[in-house]
Amino acid sequence: MHLKSKHSADRQGGKPGQPVSGKDLGNFTGFAHSRMSAHLHAARAGYSTATYNPISAFLPGRLFTWIVQVAKYWFKQKHAFRDYTTHNKRTGIYPMDDRAKISLAGDWGTGTDEAKKVALAMEKSQPDFTIHLGDVYYVGDNNEVRENFLGEKTSPYAPVKWPMGAAGSFALNGNHEMYAEGNGYWRLVLPRMGLKERGSEWGRGQWASFFCLENKHWRIIGLDTGYNSTRFDWAKVPLLRRSKLLRKTTLFKPKCNIPDPLLAWLKSSVNPDGDKRGLILLSHHGPYSAFEGWYQIPAKQLAKLIHRPVIWFWGHEHRLAIYDKFSVKEGIEANGRCIGHGGMPVERGQTPDILDCRWLAWDNRRYPSDEKVDVGYNGYANLSFNGPALHIAYYDLNHSLLLTEDWHIDIESGALQQPDLKKELDDPSLHFREA
C-alpha cells in the first residue's frame, strides 16, 4: 500500500493559486515491469489528468476505466521504425567539440519532485548536450510525455521539464514508450530534441531513435533497444525474480534486439571499425547485471560490427552500478555503467548475487523521504571530454559527487586506458571495490 506523503495530501486539499508539487515516488513503487502492469497504473492515474490515488486502481468501479485505457492500444498500430534513408533527413551523425560536456540520465520521465531535482542539478552542470536513456512513465502516452517530459501541465501535479543542453539534447527509446506503441515518443519527444539554435526552447528535431555524436577522438552512439522490448519478462514476476537462470537467459523475456535498419546505418554510415576513436554506447537496456535481468542479444549483434572494447551506459534497471570490463558469450566487450536511477524509485537493499560480471561500485544509500518508502538516491552522470581524455562524474539529485573516473583513448592504436575509478563520497552504503 502506498503511503501518501504530507505534501501529497496538501496538494490534494490545496487552494487555487497555491504552489503544487510533483508526483510522489511512492506512486511508482511496487508494480511488475510489464506492458499490462504499466497500463494498469496509467489507467488508475487518469493518464496524468487527475490526482493519483493508488488504492482506487483495485476497486471494482475502476476496472472498466482500466479496460478502456488498455483496449485503446489493442487497436493502435506500432509506430513505424524510422531511419536516415528518408529523403533530406541527413545521416544522424552530429559534430561535437573536442572540449564538451554531456549530462546523461536514465528512466527519468516520472514527474516526481526527485526527477525535478535531477533536472535542476543537470542544468547546474551547464552541459553542452543532455541525453535521456529512455522511459517516460507509465506508458509514454501523449499526456504523460507532455507532463513528465515536456513540462506541460495536464493534471493537479506540477509538470517537470527535461533539461536541454546549450547545444542540444537527444532521447532514446525505452520499453515504457513502446507500451503506447511509441507514438508519444516519436510524435512529441523527438520533434523537440536534436541540435538547438540560440535562443530556442527546444531542439530542431531528432528524426530517428538512434544517433551518433562525434569529435576527433570520441564517438557517442545512441542505440534503440526499446523498439522490440514489450514482450512479457518472466524474470520480473515477484516469485521468480531471484532466479539467476531466468535473469541471464535470452528466453522468456523481451529480445530487445536492435532493428535491422539501425544495424545497417551503424555499418555503413558510422562504420565504428573504420578508425580508432573511443566508442561510447548508449541504450536503454544493458547486456548484463549483477542484480537483475540480462538483455544479451544487442551485445551479440554489435559484436559483428565492433571489435574493440567500449564504454556502455544503460538504464532500465533503477540503480547506479559500475562494472569491470565484461562480455556475454559472443557479445561485445563492454565496460558497463548502469545509470537507470534518474527518476524512478531507486532499488536498494539487494546484494549483487550474479558474480559473472564483476561490479566495481554500486549505491545502496537510503534516500530520506517523507513518503516512508525504502528507496535509494536518484542521480545522473556527467561526461567531460577534453581531446583524448574523458572525465566521468556521478552525482546524486542533491548534486553530491559520488564517484569519478578518468579515461584516455589512443586514436593511433585504439587502446582504451582502463579507468582510474575513485570514490568521492565517504559513505559505507556507497559500495566500492578497491583496486
Side-chain angles (χ1 to χ4, degrees):
M1 181 182 297
H2 166 49
L3 300 175
K4 295 184 187 301
S5 67
K6 182 178 183 297
H7 75 245
S8 177
D10 290 345
R11 180 193 304 113
Q12 292 186 15
K15 298 177 182 178
Q18 284 185 334
V20 293
S21 298
K23 301 173 182 69
D24 286 348
L25 284 171
N27 289 308
F28 297 90
T29 58
F31 73 95
H33 297 259
S34 70
R35 176 196 288 260
M36 195 65 73
S37 174
H39 279 292
L40 169 62
H41 280 69
R44 82 180 186 195
Y47 275 65
S48 292
T49 59
T51 303
Y52 282 103
N53 184 357
I55 302 302
S56 70
F58 303 98
L59 297 178
R62 293 291 292 174
L63 182 60
F64 180 74
T65 302
W66 175 68
I67 291 174
V68 169
Q69 296 289 358
V70 176
K72 291 193 305 183
Y73 295 93
W74 293 342
F75 305 104
K76 281 194 175 182
Q77 192 172 14
K78 187 176 183 179
H79 195 285
F81 189 79
R82 290 178 180 172
D83 62 18
Y84 294 102
T85 60
T86 303
H87 178 66
N88 203 32
K89 296 304 177 184
R90 302 184 179 179
T91 64
I93 301 175
Y94 302 88
M96 181 180 72
D97 292 340
D98 272 0
R99 290 179 63 95
K101 181 186 287 186
I102 298 176
S103 287
L104 302 178
D107 301 72
W108 174 86
T110 57
T112 61
D113 292 330
E114 287 71 20
K116 185 175 182 179
K117 286 183 179 180
V118 169
L120 292 174
M122 292 171 68
E123 288 179 341
K124 187 177 181 180
S125 300
Q126 298 183 315
D128 298 290
F129 295 96
T130 57
I131 301 176
H132 186 227
L133 302 187
D135 269 6
V136 177
Y137 296 87
Y138 292 104
V139 298
D141 202 359
N142 289 356
N143 276 345
E144 292 182 340
V145 165
R146 288 170 58 201
E147 182 159 284
N148 297 343
F149 197 90
L150 302 181
E152 301 175 8
K153 189 171 179 62
T154 66
S155 81
Y157 294 88
V160 180
K161 184 179 179 181
W162 174 252
M164 289 290 291
S169 189
F170 296 88
L172 297 182
N173 189 17
N175 51 299
H176 281 263
E177 284 86 345
M178 292 309 302
Y179 292 156
E181 308 299 352
N183 291 305
Y185 171 72
W186 266 281
R187 295 174 183 176
L188 294 178
V189 174
L190 292 193
R192 292 166 172 82
M193 298 290 100
L195 300 181
K196 184 180 176 183
E197 295 179 348
R198 184 182 295 272
S200 62
E201 180 182 11
W202 295 104
R204 297 200 299 260
Q206 175 188 331
W207 173 250
S209 55
F210 54 96
F211 60 88
C212 176
L213 277 166
E214 64 178 14
N215 59 26
K216 294 178 182 178
H217 297 88
W218 299 91
R219 307 181 97 178
I220 301 96
I221 303 172
L223 304 167
D224 187 344
T225 61
Y227 196 74
N228 296 313
S229 68
T230 59
R231 181 181 176 183
F232 187 77
D233 192 339
W234 284 96
K236 297 294 186 182
V237 175
L239 292 177
L240 303 176
R241 288 192 69 176
R242 305 320 309 150
S243 168
K244 294 180 185 179
L245 178 63
L246 279 178
R247 282 181 279 163
K248 291 173 62 177
T249 184
T250 58
L251 305 174
F252 311 112
K253 65 175 60 173
K255 291 184 177 181
C256 302
N257 53 295
I258 298 171
D260 288 341
L262 194 163
L263 293 172
W265 166 83
L266 188 60
K267 180 178 181 179
S268 62
S269 297
V270 178
N271 186 19
D273 275 355
D275 57 48
K276 301 298 184 180
R277 282 179 283 183
L279 297 177
I280 300 172
L281 304 183
L282 311 176
S283 66
H284 183 66
H285 300 83
Y288 55 82
S289 170
F291 302 87
E292 295 192 26
W294 293 26
Y295 302 93
Q296 303 182 46
I297 292 177
K300 297 173 185 285
Q301 293 175 292
L302 292 169
K304 299 176 181 178
L305 300 173
I306 300 174
H307 299 92
R308 61 184 185 276
V310 302
I311 307 170
W312 192 340
F313 289 88
W314 62 76
H316 190 63
E317 188 177 319
H318 306 144
R319 73 176 81 247
L320 169 64
I322 311 297
Y323 295 97
D324 205 350
K325 184 167 58 177
F326 179 74
S327 63
V328 300
K329 186 179 180 181
E330 300 178 351
I332 189 172
E333 198 169 30
N335 298 275
R337 275 86 182 107
C338 176
I339 56 168
H341 63 318
M344 280 291 281
V346 174
E347 296 158 22
R348 62 174 303 277
Q350 176 186 338
T351 302
D353 63 346
I354 298 179
L355 305 181
D356 309 49
C357 47
R358 183 174 182 265
W359 63 264
L360 299 177
W362 57 285
D363 190 6
N364 195 40
R365 296 174 301 145
R366 181 167 181 167
Y367 176 61
S369 168
D370 64 349
E371 298 181 49
K372 299 180 181 179
V373 289
D374 184 10
V375 297
Y377 279 75
N378 295 106
Y380 64 102
N382 282 341
L383 282 62
S384 298
F385 298 88
N386 185 4
L390 167 62
H391 178 76
I392 305 176
Y394 300 89
Y395 293 91
D396 67 20
L397 75 173
N398 296 322
H399 202 63
S400 297
L401 181 61
L402 310 181
L403 303 160
T404 60
E405 56 180 329
D406 290 281
W407 296 82
H408 187 278
I409 183 66
D410 183 341
I411 60 172
E412 296 298 324
S413 66
L416 188 63
Q417 179 183 311
Q418 286 300 102
D420 180 18
L421 182 66
K422 296 178 180 177
K423 180 178 178 179
E424 305 290 351
L425 182 70
D426 185 15
D427 190 311
S429 292
L430 177 60
H431 296 274
F432 184 81
R433 195 187 296 272
E434 300 289 346

